[in-house]
Amino acid sequence: MTTYFDDLETRSADEREAAQMEALRAQLRAVQGLRGYRDSLGLIDPSEIDGMADLAVLPVLRKSELGAAQGQSSPFGGFTAKTAGEFAHIFQSPGPIYEPGEISHDWWRVGRFLHAAGIGRGDIVQNCFGYHLTPAGMIFESGARAVQAAVLPAGVGQTELQVRAAADVGTTAYAGTPDYLKVILDKADEMGVALKITKAAVGGGALFPSLRQEYTDRGISCLQCYATADLGNIAYESPAMDGMIIDEGVIVEIVRPGTGTPVAEGEVGEVVVTSLNPDYPLIRFATGDLSAIMEGTSPCGRTNKRIKGWMGRADQTTKIKGMFVRPEQVAQLVAKHPEITKARVIALREGEMDVMRVQIEGGNDAASYEGSVAEVLKLKGAVECVPVGSLPNDGKVIDDQRTFG
């Protein structure tokens, strides 16, 4: 097996950006006539998008907007030029949100991840991702096909039968959520059955270090990817296990939650992804997940940027004194005062009452911001000016510290 899936993984940063910007400009020209993008991108001149910094002029597309558009124009909301019947598959995720799928080569780009995980020709992959309505099963099956591995389409459940099948067909690799592999292994131990699984490619949940170590102790190399039904593979681990390398088929930005404004490298924010898939061109699609760009490149030799992996949810909307407070409102408060660099709303409970405290970086006179806080957040709260750089780098703009029950 070659070290890399293809030459794209080791190209220079300049080569990558030039190629991605060219693909993005073509994408922008193609989507301007689509119903889903007509209002938001109709006046954008694609020729003015020269580099990553220019992406900030494009609007962010949120899942709630995608769902609303699909309600008006079923099933895909006008975000693709293809009709439903022109796709190979149509999937349903909670919402419901409908996603298209194709069977063309590595449509979701998971083959790149499976190759990094050492899975390829001669392997038999027990695919324990769901096949019912949701796309995860097909996403990983498509990736296995791209690396010429055989697939046992197992899905989830019937663990005893899974163990028997794994033993009978000689499964060498597992694909599924991080914890279900342990269920299979424990059942195999209980049944006294020896399995040949030495590789695992996981996603869809947290891979805790203790669980990875347990797999390592069993002789199983376990790597994880970050993928979604809408976007396919976004980032993945390599054997270096030093962050998650951004996939070559997407552009990833980290923005201030509730905005489309990029944060400084290393700062935690919301993951916003532009897919360069012409079949389903999602542009600046907000995942709702938090992460951060890491400094440098992976020791494995892949040259794309890396993210730290999943670090929580960006949608920190909470209710204080019966009123919703949203990240977008905190962003509006910061934008209202040029001297403010960052702000955080803290929800507390004192006695039996909700209390709101607002911490502000960059201000000097806390009292002078009380009016803006009440106007923008629709609630009164204590304002505290704190030194620049003192708020934690965790992506939180709303910190609910209340405990209930």
Side-chain angles (χ1 to χ4, degrees):
M1 179 182 289
T2 58
T3 302
Y4 305 113
F5 185 70
D6 57 27
D7 292 340
L8 299 181
E9 295 182 350
T10 55
R11 56 186 167 171
S12 71
D14 289 343
E15 289 176 310
R16 179 176 291 108
E17 182 168 346
Q20 289 185 335
M21 288 304 110
E22 182 179 354
L24 176 59
R25 287 191 291 271
Q27 200 94 299
L28 288 170
R29 286 190 288 268
V31 304
Q32 286 185 328
L34 297 181
R35 175 174 177 169
Y37 287 111
R38 194 175 299 143
D39 294 337
S40 60
L41 295 176
L43 298 178
I44 297 292
D45 182 355
S47 65
E48 295 180 356
I49 306 300
D50 292 327
M52 285 288 291
D54 296 329
L55 267 66
V57 305
L58 305 177
V60 169
L61 173 63
R62 300 201 170 272
K63 199 151 193 169
S64 58
E65 297 173 71
L66 185 61
Q70 290 188 359
Q72 295 293 318
S73 179
S74 183
F76 303 128
F79 287 94
T80 172
K82 286 187 172 184
T83 64
E86 291 177 299
F87 283 102
H89 295 105
I90 302 170
F91 301 100
Q92 184 195 73
S93 292
I97 297 286
Y98 294 96
E99 297 100 2
E102 280 291 2
I103 56 175
S104 55
H105 178 73
D106 206 21
W107 197 77
W108 284 282
R109 307 174 315 281
V110 171
R112 189 179 303 282
F113 163 52
L114 296 183
H115 183 88
I119 297 172
R121 181 189 289 272
D123 278 308
I124 301 172
V125 180
Q126 189 143 335
N127 186 5
C128 295
F129 281 106
Y131 280 81
H132 179 65
L133 284 180
T134 60
M138 290 303 301
I139 287 174
F140 274 77
E141 181 166 318
S142 175
R145 191 177 297 117
V147 296
Q148 301 182 352
V151 176
L152 175 63
V156 183
Q158 296 184 296
T159 306
E160 193 167 316
L161 289 178
Q162 297 247 18
V163 171
R164 177 52 56 200
D168 289 346
V169 307
T171 294
T172 60
Y174 165 89
T177 57
D179 53 353
Y180 189 56
L181 175 57
K182 176 173 167 53
V183 175
I184 292 174
L185 296 173
D186 289 347
K187 176 60 73 172
D189 291 344
E190 180 186 314
M191 295 168 62
V193 175
L195 300 182
K196 298 178 181 179
I197 297 174
T198 60
K199 306 164 189 174
V202 303
L207 174 59
F208 294 101
S210 57
L211 184 59
R212 195 198 310 251
Q213 186 59 52
E214 181 171 339
Y215 294 150
T216 299
D217 294 343
R218 287 176 174 263
I220 299 172
S221 171
C222 183
L223 298 181
Q224 61 184 324
C225 76
Y226 169 36
T228 73
D230 319 274
L231 299 159
N233 191 24
I234 298 170
Y236 61 98
E237 285 187 318
S238 74
M241 290 190 287
D242 189 4
M244 303 186 82
I245 302 159
I246 295 172
D247 182 73
E248 298 295 331
V250 295
I251 300 170
V252 171
E253 302 169 84
I254 306 295
V255 306
R256 185 86 58 213
T259 77
T261 306
V263 300
E265 186 170 296
E267 189 173 340
V268 178
E270 182 176 10
V271 179
V272 168
V273 181
T274 295
S275 168
L276 299 176
N277 181 347
D279 289 332
Y280 193 44
L282 294 178
I283 296 172
R284 297 202 88 200
F285 187 74
T287 64
D289 296 324
L290 294 175
S291 192
I293 297 289
M294 297 175 64
E295 185 179 351
T297 58
S298 172
C300 72
R302 293 171 176 85
T303 56
N304 208 348
K305 291 182 179 181
R306 297 167 297 160
I307 59 174
K308 291 185 177 179
W310 189 82
M311 300 177 70
R313 290 293 293 170
D315 185 6
Q316 301 153 28
T317 298
T318 192
K319 187 178 282 188
I320 305 173
K321 299 181 182 178
M323 296 289 291
F324 281 110
V325 178
R326 306 178 188 277
E328 295 90 328
Q329 292 170 284
V330 183
Q332 290 168 15
L333 177 65
V334 173
K336 191 176 177 67
H337 299 277
E339 71 276 13
I340 297 179
T341 57
K342 190 185 293 187
R344 173 179 296 220
V345 170
I346 301 175
L348 301 163
R349 194 87 172 153
E350 292 183 358
E352 296 301 320
M353 301 289 291
D354 284 346
V355 174
M356 182 177 76
R357 186 164 75 239
V358 181
Q359 293 182 322
I360 290 173
E361 284 190 8
N364 294 312
D365 181 9
S368 66
Y369 300 110
E370 291 176 355
S372 290
V373 166
E375 177 188 346
V376 176
L377 302 182
K378 312 303 181 186
L379 287 170
K380 291 182 179 180
V383 180
E384 178 186 2
C385 293
V386 299
V388 173
S390 62
L391 291 179
N393 179 24
D394 55 9
K396 285 186 178 181
V397 293
I398 300 174
D399 183 11
D400 193 341
Q401 298 183 3
R402 297 169 297 180
T403 57
F404 301 92

